[in-house]
Structures are given as C-alpha cells and as structure tokens.
Amino acid sequence: MSVAVAHGLRVAFHRFVTIVMTIVLLGALVLVWAKVVSTLTAKVEKKPPIGQPRAVVWQNRVFTTEGQLRSYLHAKGISYSRWVSRHPAAFALLQSKPAKSSGAIG
C-alpha cells in the first residue's frame, strides 16, 4: 500500500469517527434535554403534611396550651378574649385535640 493511500484511509477513518461521535453526542444531548423538559413540566402532587400544628408562636414564644397563652397575655396587660376574637385561627389550633396516631409514618 502506498503512503498516500494509507494517509487517505486514515483521514477518512478520522472523519468517520468524528461524524459518528458528533451524532452520538448530539443524540445524548437531545435525550438529556428531553429529560430536563419532562422533569420541569411534570405535575407534582402535593404531599400532605406529616402531623398537625399544635402550637401558636406569638412574639417569639411558643404556646402549646390555652393556659400558657392566657397567662402570657395577662402579664402583658392584653385581654385573652380580645386576642381570641382577633385571631380565631390561632385559637382553633389551641382548642384542637391531637388526632389518634396509627403508629405508621407517612
């Protein structure tokens, strides 16, 4: 085989490998972007919260019972009944009873 023919075959082989690798890499890129788009557009189901809130945070303090909050407000000169009328959702948290747990998590 002459040197010119061998050189021509090497150049052709390198071009072939370059073209094949370019096609393979473009295919991989298309697959990755398809997965990205699929992930970003997928609808995510909102998971229910674990447990129920059982405390009220008020002025950087945590109150787990009605009595605790009542005493704190009284010490600050604030009427508990007035507080209840202005914050019914927080009052409801303190009034709710913990749900019975089945022992299972999740």
Side-chain angles (χ1 to χ4, degrees):
M1 213 187 262
S2 74
V3 176
V5 173
H7 177 70
L9 287 175
R10 260 192 313 249
V11 169
F13 178 73
H14 285 295
R15 281 187 187 152
F16 174 76
V17 169
T18 301
I19 291 170
V20 168
M21 290 305 295
T22 301
I23 291 170
V24 168
L25 289 174
L26 285 174
L29 185 63
V30 167
L31 289 175
V32 167
W33 274 105
K35 179 64 177 169
V36 167
V37 169
S38 171
T39 301
L40 292 176
T41 58
K43 292 191 179 201
V44 178
E45 292 183 28
K46 187 175 180 183
K47 294 182 181 179
I50 297 174
Q52 294 288 339
R54 299 281 177 234
V56 173
V57 178
W58 195 260
Q59 294 183 346
N60 295 323
R61 290 177 170 79
V62 179
F63 302 98
T64 56
T65 67
E66 181 181 347
Q68 290 173 341
L69 182 60
R70 185 185 298 268
S71 296
Y72 175 78
L73 293 174
H74 179 73
K76 294 288 185 180
I78 301 169
S79 165
Y80 180 74
S81 59
R82 188 173 190 188
W83 182 89
V84 167
S85 67
R86 291 184 176 181
H87 307 285
F91 174 70
L93 278 176
L94 292 174
Q95 297 300 309
S96 65
K97 304 224 185 288
K100 292 191 179 188
S101 173
S102 65
I105 298 175

